[in-house]
Amino acid sequence: MDDATDTLDPLAVAERWMDDGRAVAVATVVETWGSAPRPAGSHLVIDGDGNFHGSVSGGCVEGAVITEALDVIGSGEPRMLEFGVADETAWRVGLSCGGRIRVYLERLG
Amino acid sequence: MDPHILRKLNAERRARRAVVYLTDLGDGRDRLVREGDAVVGPLGEAIAAAFRSGRSGVVEVEGRSYFLNVHLPPPRIVVIGAVHISQALAVMAKVAGFDLTIVDPRTAFATGERFAGTDLVADWPEDVLKQRPLDAYTALVAVTHDPKIDDYPIRAGLEAGCFYVGALGSRKTHARRVERLLSQGASAAMIERIRAPIGLDIGAASPAEIAVAILAEVIEAFRRRELYRGAAA
């Protein structure tokens, strides 16, 4: 990890945001089934204004994670999120690739 | 996530050290484990396995659920010798996702014109490797076949536990190299780890083909390194 990759690395971004005094939540893919777009260990970091960096899917569920992150920043209570296949008829948030993922969401500090 | 642990985690990653970041999914508590740190019991075994495989995941230990996030340094290649083979290797390594640095004290070879866009250091390996030490996530590729330039970094690569140490030269050249390294005090077991003649045996003839053979051998050494470790244990 050099200076160039630091600007793209979610955990380096989280540390910088923390140093700037921003509230931060960290989302981590902890389990995947089927063809999930991002492997376990991938991060999305979110600040109190809804700014985000990184990814936990190919853009399918980030919106839902960011909404939940604002709650977690408020309460400080970590939570586990699960996303499955998108159900187009119900307009549910989901993964169009057909995989399933579990995302652990926690506040930094 | 503990802010102090995040700082420590990022510092370890910047220093190219392998770590596991562990979260208890029940109570959210976290900790950092460095490769080589002793963790007893089944959790320790799960952590050791995670370091070997490089794969992050959830483990169940004694009724508790933990997430192990494995952070291994990205693999890189240090090439000794700014030669024709290295020009091709620099381009291919980038495509394959390796960081690459070329070191050669001969300023006629190590020119920006020959190696545009490549991290190139026109200095002696003895000096360069003090500033940028080799490690277990580095492949050392020595291709000058000049003992004055190649011998020191080959030995340094073996001592640092580089996942790959390869050296260009015929069997005869390599036999003389082995004698020199033995006389300098390197052990026979250590010297056996040198891949020579360098590169997978695909009948490579041109410099670019030899670069393919070297890169393939480096990839094999990296992807199968846990198997080699397993065999040694």
Side-chain angles (χ1 to χ4, degrees):
Chain A
M1 193 166 68
D2 55 25
D3 290 346
T5 49
D6 250 20
T7 61
L8 292 170
D9 179 74
L11 293 180
V13 169
E15 187 177 339
R16 257 199 323 277
W17 283 355
M18 178 174 81
D19 290 340
D20 291 344
R22 290 150 83 170
V24 181
V26 178
T28 308
V29 178
V30 295
E31 279 184 288
T32 69
W33 295 267
S35 60
R38 301 282 288 125
S42 303
H43 292 292
L44 175 71
V45 299
I46 307 102
D47 78 357
D49 294 325
N51 295 303
F52 65 95
H53 197 93
S55 63
V56 292
S57 75
C60 314
V61 304
E62 273 75 5
V65 175
I66 291 161
T67 307
E68 298 268 350
L70 300 180
D71 285 353
V72 167
I73 285 174
S75 71
E77 287 300 314
R79 57 180 74 164
M80 190 70 79
L81 311 176
E82 295 207 30
F83 298 98
V85 185
D87 181 343
E88 284 175 35
T89 53
W91 294 98
R92 239 183 61 213
V93 175
L95 298 165
S96 50
C97 50
R100 274 199 302 138
I101 59 172
R102 281 172 87 206
V103 175
Y104 186 72
L105 183 60
E106 62 189 320
R107 187 171 74 181
L108 181 59
Chain B
M1 187 175 208
D2 183 325
H4 300 294
I5 293 180
L6 173 65
R7 280 190 213 287
K8 267 189 356 206
L9 168 61
N10 283 341
E12 293 293 317
R13 292 164 69 222
R14 279 189 202 97
R16 290 181 59 81
R17 282 193 289 263
V19 287
V20 164
Y21 170 75
L22 178 149
T23 308
D24 183 328
L25 294 176
D27 61 16
R29 284 205 211 174
D30 53 0
R31 64 185 280 203
L32 202 61
V33 182
R34 277 196 195 184
E35 191 168 27
D37 283 357
V39 179
V40 293
L43 184 58
E45 284 164 29
I47 291 169
F51 274 122
R52 276 198 302 277
S53 72
R55 270 187 223 107
S56 302
V58 175
V59 295
E60 308 287 337
V61 175
E62 289 161 349
R64 301 192 76 94
S65 195
Y66 298 94
F67 180 62
L68 307 183
N69 204 347
V70 189
H71 296 272
L72 301 183
R76 64 175 176 187
I77 302 173
V78 172
V79 182
I80 308 300
V83 298
H84 200 168
I85 293 169
S86 321
Q87 288 177 291
L89 186 57
V91 177
M92 293 174 191
K94 189 182 275 180
V95 175
F98 289 89
D99 289 340
L100 178 138
T101 299
I102 295 177
V103 181
D104 196 326
R106 302 169 299 177
T107 48
F109 286 86
T111 69
E113 198 186 352
R114 283 160 49 81
F115 291 92
T118 299
D119 180 25
L120 176 70
V121 192
D123 217 334
W124 286 90
E126 284 87 327
D127 300 322
V128 178
L129 297 183
K130 268 184 205 120
Q131 304 298 318
R132 308 187 192 192
L134 300 169
D135 60 38
Y137 297 91
T138 304
L140 189 281
V141 173
V143 286
T144 72
H145 55 54
D146 179 341
K148 288 194 302 299
I149 304 172
D150 279 352
D151 278 7
Y152 175 85
I154 288 171
R155 186 143 178 223
L158 295 171
E159 282 168 0
C162 285
F163 72 86
Y164 174 92
V165 177
L168 186 73
S170 65
R171 281 181 177 79
K172 224 166 156 185
T173 305
H174 187 60
R176 284 197 295 272
R177 178 185 291 134
V178 168
E179 274 173 30
R180 284 194 308 276
L181 291 172
L182 281 172
S183 73
Q184 290 162 22
S187 74
M190 210 185 216
I191 290 169
E192 240 171 60
R193 289 197 51 232
I194 303 171
R195 308 289 288 260
I198 200 168
L200 292 188
D201 185 5
I202 55 172
S206 70
E209 289 172 7
I210 294 167
V212 170
I214 294 172
L215 186 59
E217 195 172 58
V218 167
I219 291 169
E220 183 192 37
F222 184 69
R223 289 298 168 196
R224 294 196 171 148
R225 72 198 184 287
E226 65 267 22
L227 302 184
Y228 294 148
R229 270 189 215 169

Coordinates of all heavy atoms in Angstrom, one line a residue, chain B residues 75-135:
Chain B
P75 N 1.7 -8.9 -3.8 CA 3.0 -9.5 -4.3 C 3.7 -8.5 -5.2 O 3.1 -7.7 -5.9 CB 2.6 -10.7 -5.0 CG 1.2 -10.5 -5.5 CD 0.6 -9.6 -4.4
R76 N 5.1 -8.5 -5.1 CA 5.8 -7.6 -6.0 C 7.1 -8.4 -6.5 O 7.5 -9.4 -5.9 CB 6.2 -6.3 -5.3 CG 7.2 -6.6 -4.1 CD 7.6 -5.3 -3.5 NE 8.5 -5.7 -2.4 CZ 8.9 -4.8 -1.5 NH1 8.7 -3.5 -1.6 NH2 9.7 -5.2 -0.5
I77 N 7.6 -7.9 -7.6 CA 8.8 -8.5 -8.2 C 9.9 -7.5 -8.2 O 9.7 -6.3 -8.6 CB 8.5 -8.9 -9.6 CG1 7.3 -9.9 -9.7 CG2 9.8 -9.5 -10.3 CD1 6.9 -10.3 -11.1
V78 N 11.1 -7.9 -7.7 CA 12.3 -7.0 -7.8 C 13.2 -7.7 -8.8 O 13.6 -8.8 -8.6 CB 13.0 -6.8 -6.4 CG1 14.3 -6.1 -6.6 CG2 12.1 -6.1 -5.4
V79 N 13.5 -7.0 -9.8 CA 14.3 -7.5 -10.9 C 15.7 -6.9 -10.8 O 15.8 -5.6 -10.8 CB 13.7 -7.2 -12.3 CG1 14.6 -7.8 -13.4 CG2 12.3 -7.7 -12.4
I80 N 16.8 -7.7 -10.8 CA 18.1 -7.2 -10.8 C 18.6 -7.3 -12.2 O 18.8 -8.4 -12.7 CB 19.0 -8.1 -9.8 CG1 18.4 -8.2 -8.4 CG2 20.4 -7.5 -9.8 CD1 18.2 -6.8 -7.7
G81 N 18.8 -6.2 -12.8 CA 19.3 -6.2 -14.2 C 18.3 -5.5 -15.2 O 17.1 -6.0 -15.3
A82 N 18.7 -4.4 -15.7 CA 17.9 -3.6 -16.7 C 18.1 -4.1 -18.1 O 18.5 -3.3 -18.9 CB 18.1 -2.1 -16.5
V83 N 17.9 -5.4 -18.3 CA 18.2 -6.0 -19.6 C 17.0 -6.1 -20.5 O 15.9 -5.7 -20.1 CB 19.0 -7.3 -19.4 CG1 20.2 -7.2 -18.6 CG2 18.0 -8.3 -18.7
H84 N 17.2 -6.7 -21.7 CA 16.1 -6.9 -22.6 C 15.0 -7.7 -22.1 O 13.8 -7.3 -22.2 CB 16.7 -7.6 -23.9 CG 15.9 -7.4 -25.1 ND1 16.4 -7.7 -26.4 CD2 14.7 -6.9 -25.3 CE1 15.5 -7.5 -27.3 NE2 14.4 -7.0 -26.7
I85 N 15.3 -8.7 -21.4 CA 14.2 -9.6 -20.7 C 13.4 -8.7 -19.8 O 12.2 -8.8 -19.7 CB 14.9 -10.8 -19.9 CG1 15.5 -11.7 -20.9 CG2 13.8 -11.5 -19.1 CD1 16.4 -12.8 -20.2
S86 N 14.1 -7.8 -19.0 CA 13.4 -7.0 -18.0 C 12.4 -6.0 -18.6 O 11.4 -5.7 -18.1 CB 14.4 -6.2 -17.2 OG 15.5 -7.0 -16.9
Q87 N 12.8 -5.6 -19.8 CA 11.9 -4.6 -20.5 C 10.5 -5.3 -20.8 O 9.5 -4.7 -20.6 CB 12.5 -4.2 -21.9 CG 13.6 -3.2 -21.7 CD 14.3 -2.8 -23.0 OE1 14.9 -3.6 -23.6 NE2 14.1 -1.5 -23.4
A88 N 10.6 -6.6 -21.3 CA 9.3 -7.3 -21.5 C 8.6 -7.7 -20.2 O 7.4 -7.6 -20.1 CB 9.6 -8.6 -22.3
L89 N 9.4 -8.1 -19.2 CA 8.9 -8.5 -17.9 C 8.1 -7.4 -17.2 O 7.1 -7.6 -16.6 CB 10.0 -9.1 -17.1 CG 9.6 -9.7 -15.7 CD1 8.6 -10.8 -15.9 CD2 10.8 -10.2 -15.0
A90 N 8.7 -6.2 -17.4 CA 8.1 -5.0 -16.7 C 6.6 -4.8 -17.2 O 5.7 -4.5 -16.4 CB 8.9 -3.7 -16.9
V91 N 6.5 -4.9 -18.5 CA 5.1 -4.7 -19.1 C 4.2 -5.8 -18.7 O 3.0 -5.6 -18.3 CB 5.3 -4.7 -20.7 CG1 3.9 -4.5 -21.3 CG2 6.2 -3.5 -21.1
M92 N 4.6 -7.1 -18.8 CA 3.8 -8.2 -18.5 C 3.4 -8.3 -17.0 O 2.3 -8.6 -16.7 CB 4.5 -9.5 -18.9 CG 4.7 -9.6 -20.4 SD 5.7 -11.1 -20.7 CE 6.1 -10.8 -22.4
A93 N 4.3 -8.0 -16.1 CA 4.1 -8.0 -14.7 C 3.0 -7.1 -14.3 O 2.1 -7.4 -13.5 CB 5.4 -7.7 -13.9
K94 N 3.0 -5.9 -14.9 CA 2.0 -4.9 -14.6 C 0.6 -5.4 -15.0 O -0.4 -5.3 -14.2 CB 2.3 -3.6 -15.4 CG 1.4 -2.4 -15.0 CD 1.7 -1.2 -15.8 CE 2.9 -0.4 -15.3 NZ 3.2 0.8 -16.1
V95 N 0.5 -6.1 -16.2 CA -0.8 -6.6 -16.6 C -1.3 -7.7 -15.6 O -2.4 -7.8 -15.3 CB -0.7 -7.2 -18.0 CG1 -1.9 -7.9 -18.5 CG2 -0.3 -6.1 -19.0
A96 N -0.3 -8.5 -15.1 CA -0.7 -9.6 -14.2 C -0.9 -9.2 -12.8 O -1.2 -10.0 -11.9 CB 0.4 -10.7 -14.3
G97 N -0.7 -7.9 -12.5 CA -1.1 -7.4 -11.2 C 0.0 -7.3 -10.2 O -0.2 -7.2 -9.0
F98 N 1.3 -7.5 -10.6 CA 2.4 -7.4 -9.7 C 3.0 -6.0 -9.8 O 3.1 -5.4 -10.8 CB 3.5 -8.3 -10.1 CG 3.2 -9.8 -9.9 CD1 2.6 -10.5 -10.8 CD2 3.5 -10.4 -8.7 CE1 2.2 -11.9 -10.6 CE2 3.2 -11.7 -8.5 CZ 2.6 -12.5 -9.4
D99 N 3.4 -5.4 -8.6 CA 4.3 -4.3 -8.5 C 5.7 -4.7 -9.0 O 6.0 -5.9 -8.7 CB 4.4 -3.7 -7.1 CG 3.1 -3.0 -6.7 OD1 2.3 -2.7 -7.6 OD2 2.9 -2.9 -5.5
L100 N 6.4 -3.9 -9.6 CA 7.7 -4.3 -10.1 C 8.7 -3.2 -10.0 O 8.4 -2.0 -10.3 CB 7.6 -4.8 -11.6 CG 8.9 -5.3 -12.3 CD1 8.6 -6.5 -13.1 CD2 9.4 -4.2 -13.2
T101 N 9.9 -3.5 -9.5 CA 11.0 -2.6 -9.4 C 12.2 -3.2 -10.1 O 12.5 -4.4 -10.0 CB 11.4 -2.3 -8.0 OG1 10.2 -1.7 -7.3 CG2 12.5 -1.3 -7.9
I102 N 13.0 -2.4 -10.9 CA 14.2 -2.8 -11.6 C 15.4 -2.1 -11.0 O 15.4 -0.9 -10.8 CB 14.1 -2.6 -13.1 CG1 13.0 -3.5 -13.7 CG2 15.4 -3.0 -13.8 CD1 12.8 -3.3 -15.1
V103 N 16.4 -2.9 -10.6 CA 17.6 -2.4 -10.0 C 18.8 -2.8 -10.9 O 19.0 -3.9 -11.2 CB 17.8 -2.9 -8.6 CG1 19.1 -2.3 -8.0 CG2 16.6 -2.6 -7.7
D104 N 19.6 -1.8 -11.3 CA 20.8 -2.1 -12.1 C 21.8 -0.9 -11.9 O 21.4 0.2 -12.2 CB 20.5 -2.3 -13.5 CG 21.6 -3.0 -14.3 OD1 22.8 -2.8 -14.0 OD2 21.3 -3.8 -15.2
P105 N 23.0 -1.2 -11.4 CA 23.9 -0.1 -11.2 C 24.5 0.4 -12.5 O 25.2 1.5 -12.6 CB 25.0 -0.7 -10.3 CG 25.0 -2.1 -10.7 CD 23.6 -2.5 -11.0
R106 N 24.4 -0.3 -13.6 CA 25.0 0.1 -14.9 C 24.1 1.1 -15.6 O 23.0 0.7 -16.2 CB 25.2 -1.2 -15.8 CG 26.0 -2.3 -15.1 CD 26.0 -3.6 -15.9 NE 24.6 -4.1 -15.9 CZ 24.3 -5.2 -16.6 NH1 25.2 -5.9 -17.2 NH2 23.0 -5.6 -16.6
T107 N 24.5 2.3 -15.6 CA 23.7 3.4 -16.0 C 23.4 3.4 -17.5 O 22.4 4.0 -18.0 CB 24.2 4.8 -15.6 OG1 25.6 4.8 -16.0 CG2 24.1 5.0 -14.2
A108 N 24.2 2.6 -18.3 CA 24.0 2.5 -19.7 C 22.7 1.6 -19.9 O 22.0 1.9 -20.9 CB 25.2 1.8 -20.4
F109 N 22.5 0.7 -19.0 CA 21.3 -0.2 -19.1 C 20.1 0.5 -18.5 O 19.0 0.5 -19.0 CB 21.5 -1.5 -18.5 CG 22.5 -2.4 -19.2 CD1 23.8 -2.3 -19.1 CD2 21.9 -3.4 -20.1 CE1 24.7 -3.2 -19.8 CE2 22.7 -4.2 -20.8 CZ 24.1 -4.1 -20.7
A110 N 20.3 1.0 -17.3 CA 19.2 1.6 -16.5 C 18.8 3.0 -16.9 O 19.2 4.0 -16.2 CB 19.5 1.5 -15.0
T111 N 18.2 3.1 -18.1 CA 17.8 4.5 -18.5 C 16.3 4.6 -18.6 O 15.6 3.6 -18.9 CB 18.4 4.7 -19.9 OG1 17.7 3.9 -20.9 CG2 19.8 4.5 -20.0
G112 N 15.8 5.8 -18.3 CA 14.4 6.0 -18.4 C 13.8 5.8 -19.7 O 12.6 5.4 -19.9
E113 N 14.6 6.0 -20.8 CA 14.2 5.8 -22.1 C 13.8 4.3 -22.4 O 12.9 4.0 -23.1 CB 15.2 6.3 -23.1 CG 14.7 6.6 -24.5 CD 15.8 6.9 -25.4 OE1 17.0 7.1 -25.0 OE2 15.5 7.0 -26.6
R114 N 14.7 3.4 -21.9 CA 14.4 2.0 -22.1 C 13.3 1.5 -21.2 O 12.7 0.4 -21.5 CB 15.7 1.2 -21.8 CG 16.8 1.3 -22.9 CD 18.2 0.9 -22.4 NE 18.3 -0.3 -21.6 CZ 18.3 -1.5 -22.1 NH1 18.3 -1.7 -23.4 NH2 18.4 -2.6 -21.4
F115 N 13.0 2.2 -20.1 CA 12.0 1.7 -19.2 C 11.0 2.7 -18.8 O 10.8 3.0 -17.6 CB 12.8 1.1 -17.9 CG 13.6 -0.1 -18.1 CD1 14.9 0.0 -18.5 CD2 13.0 -1.3 -18.1 CE1 15.6 -1.2 -18.7 CE2 13.7 -2.5 -18.3 CZ 15.0 -2.4 -18.6
A116 N 10.4 3.3 -19.8 CA 9.4 4.3 -19.5 C 8.2 3.8 -18.7 O 7.7 2.7 -18.9 CB 8.8 4.9 -20.8
G117 N 7.9 4.5 -17.6 CA 6.7 4.1 -16.8 C 7.0 3.0 -15.8 O 6.1 2.5 -15.2
T118 N 8.3 2.6 -15.7 CA 8.7 1.5 -14.8 C 9.5 2.1 -13.6 O 10.3 3.0 -13.8 CB 9.6 0.5 -15.5 OG1 8.8 -0.1 -16.6 CG2 10.0 -0.7 -14.6
D119 N 9.3 1.5 -12.4 CA 10.1 2.0 -11.2 C 11.5 1.4 -11.4 O 11.7 0.2 -11.3 CB 9.4 1.4 -10.0 CG 10.1 1.8 -8.7 OD1 10.8 2.8 -8.7 OD2 10.0 1.0 -7.7
L120 N 12.4 2.3 -11.7 CA 13.8 1.9 -12.1 C 14.8 2.6 -11.2 O 14.7 3.8 -11.0 CB 14.0 2.3 -13.5 CG 15.4 2.1 -14.1 CD1 15.7 0.6 -14.3 CD2 15.5 2.8 -15.5
V121 N 15.7 1.8 -10.6 CA 16.8 2.4 -9.7 C 18.1 2.1 -10.2 O 18.5 0.9 -10.3 CB 16.6 1.9 -8.2 CG1 17.5 2.7 -7.3 CG2 15.2 1.9 -7.8
A122 N 18.9 3.1 -10.6 CA 20.2 2.9 -11.2 C 21.3 3.0 -10.1 O 22.0 4.0 -9.9 CB 20.5 4.0 -12.3
D123 N 21.3 1.9 -9.3 CA 22.2 1.8 -8.2 C 22.5 0.4 -7.8 O 21.9 -0.5 -8.3 CB 21.6 2.6 -6.9 CG 22.6 3.3 -6.1 OD1 23.8 3.0 -6.2 OD2 22.2 4.3 -5.5
W124 N 23.5 0.2 -6.9 CA 23.9 -1.2 -6.5 C 22.8 -1.8 -5.7 O 22.3 -1.1 -4.8 CB 25.3 -1.2 -5.8 CG 26.4 -0.9 -6.8 CD1 26.9 0.3 -7.1 CD2 27.1 -1.9 -7.5 NE1 27.9 0.1 -8.1 CE2 28.0 -1.2 -8.3 CE3 27.0 -3.3 -7.6 CZ2 28.9 -1.9 -9.2 CZ3 27.9 -4.0 -8.5 CH2 28.8 -3.3 -9.2
P125 N 22.5 -3.1 -5.9 CA 21.5 -3.8 -5.0 C 21.8 -3.6 -3.5 O 20.9 -3.5 -2.7 CB 21.6 -5.2 -5.5 CG 22.1 -5.1 -6.9 CD 23.0 -4.0 -7.0
E126 N 23.1 -3.7 -3.2 CA 23.5 -3.6 -1.8 C 22.9 -2.3 -1.2 O 22.5 -2.3 0.0 CB 25.1 -3.5 -1.6 CG 25.8 -4.8 -1.8 CD 26.1 -5.1 -3.3 OE1 25.4 -4.7 -4.2 OE2 27.2 -5.7 -3.5
D127 N 22.9 -1.2 -1.9 CA 22.4 0.0 -1.4 C 20.9 0.1 -1.5 O 20.3 0.6 -0.5 CB 23.1 1.2 -2.2 CG 24.6 1.2 -2.0 OD1 25.1 0.9 -0.9 OD2 25.3 1.5 -3.0
V128 N 20.4 -0.3 -2.6 CA 18.9 -0.2 -2.8 C 18.1 -1.1 -1.8 O 17.1 -0.6 -1.3 CB 18.6 -0.6 -4.3 CG1 17.1 -0.5 -4.5 CG2 19.3 0.3 -5.3
L129 N 18.6 -2.3 -1.6 CA 17.9 -3.2 -0.7 C 17.9 -2.8 0.7 O 17.1 -3.3 1.5 CB 18.4 -4.6 -0.9 CG 18.2 -5.2 -2.3 CD1 18.6 -6.6 -2.4 CD2 16.7 -5.1 -2.8
K130 N 18.9 -1.9 1.1 CA 18.9 -1.4 2.5 C 17.7 -0.5 2.7 O 17.1 -0.4 3.7 CB 20.2 -0.7 2.8 CG 21.2 -1.6 3.4 CD 22.5 -0.8 3.7 CE 23.7 -1.8 3.7 NZ 24.7 -1.4 2.8
Q131 N 17.4 0.3 1.6 CA 16.3 1.3 1.7 C 14.9 0.5 1.5 O 13.9 0.9 2.1 CB 16.4 2.3 0.5 CG 17.7 3.1 0.5 CD 17.9 3.9 1.8 OE1 17.0 4.5 2.3 NE2 19.1 3.8 2.4
R132 N 14.9 -0.5 0.7 CA 13.7 -1.2 0.4 C 13.9 -2.7 0.6 O 14.2 -3.4 -0.4 CB 13.3 -1.0 -1.1 CG 13.3 0.4 -1.6 CD 12.7 0.4 -3.0 NE 12.9 1.6 -3.7 CZ 12.2 1.8 -4.8 NH1 11.5 0.8 -5.3 NH2 12.3 2.9 -5.5
P133 N 13.8 -3.1 1.8 CA 14.1 -4.5 2.1 C 13.2 -5.5 1.4 O 12.0 -5.2 1.1 CB 14.0 -4.6 3.6 CG 13.3 -3.4 4.1 CD 13.4 -2.4 3.0
L134 N 13.8 -6.7 1.1 CA 13.0 -7.8 0.5 C 12.1 -8.4 1.6 O 12.5 -8.3 2.8 CB 13.9 -8.8 -0.1 CG 14.8 -8.3 -1.2 CD1 15.9 -9.3 -1.6 CD2 14.0 -7.9 -2.5
D135 N 11.1 -9.1 1.2 CA 10.2 -9.8 2.2 C 9.6 -11.0 1.6 O 9.8 -11.4 0.4 CB 9.2 -8.9 2.8 CG 8.2 -8.3 1.8 OD1 7.9 -9.0 0.9 OD2 7.9 -7.1 1.9

